[in-house]
Amino acid sequence: MKYFSVVWATLLIVAFATFASAQSDPFGQIDKVYADSVAAAAGQDIAVHFYLRNDELLSAVSVPLAYDTAKLTLKSISFVGSRAEYLQTKLTNPATAAETKGRFVVAFLKILESAIPVGDGLLFTCHFAIKPTATPGTVVIVDSLFY
């Protein structure tokens, strides 16, 4: 009987966690972060623009990303010309591009400023160097990540 109770409790927790974590937006469409598709050769520097489409005011945004360190090196992250440029609290974790090791988070937090308005536009730009050893024709994906 105890085994049945443990199994039942586990199933309920999994069912509730799945339901609670589902992405839904009863007030409109799900907000979306998307990126450029960039073509370049080995040894070149590239800028990958990340965009945000939202249909409600946002007080905070967190974008966890991962990339292949065998093919790319993150050089910097820029907020110039972005929809969040005016926000005072812009965070990257790790704090510097040299420390990323293939995983990083870019986050924005509204404290005293206005919230990020409804719209679609540039959120930030990542500057990468393509390693000289990258094979021509290789597709490298910069993807979302959950820590």
Side-chain angles (χ1 to χ4, degrees):
M1 185 67 171
K2 185 176 181 180
Y3 176 75
F4 176 75
S5 296
V6 170
V7 170
W8 181 248
T10 303
L11 289 173
L12 285 175
I13 290 170
V14 169
F16 179 76
T18 303
F19 174 74
S21 67
Q23 290 186 341
S24 65
D25 188 347
F27 304 107
Q29 297 191 2
I30 295 174
D31 297 336
K32 179 180 180 179
V33 174
Y34 58 100
D36 285 339
S37 179
V38 180
Q44 287 186 326
D45 290 346
I46 58 169
V48 179
H49 303 283
F50 289 83
Y51 300 91
L52 170 69
R53 180 180 305 139
N54 59 303
D55 64 347
E56 298 173 46
L57 297 174
L58 297 176
S59 296
V61 176
S62 177
V63 183
L65 296 169
Y67 63 93
D68 186 350
T69 57
K71 297 177 179 84
L72 296 175
T73 301
L74 180 65
K75 295 177 73 177
S76 66
I77 300 169
S78 172
F79 306 102
V80 175
S82 75
R83 296 178 61 203
E85 183 176 15
Y86 70 95
L87 293 172
Q88 295 300 310
T89 307
K90 295 185 273 293
L91 307 168
T92 58
N93 186 19
T96 65
E99 299 174 272
T100 59
K101 298 180 183 164
R103 296 179 178 192
F104 64 100
V105 178
V106 178
F108 306 93
L109 180 63
K110 171 200 101 60
I111 296 179
L112 300 175
E113 308 87 0
S114 299
I116 296 174
V118 172
D120 187 353
L122 181 65
L123 192 57
F124 59 92
T125 302
C126 289
H127 298 273
F128 290 99
I130 300 174
K131 298 224 173 153
T133 56
T135 307
T138 301
V139 175
V140 180
I141 296 173
V142 178
D143 201 1
S144 60
L145 173 77
F146 291 102
Y147 280 77

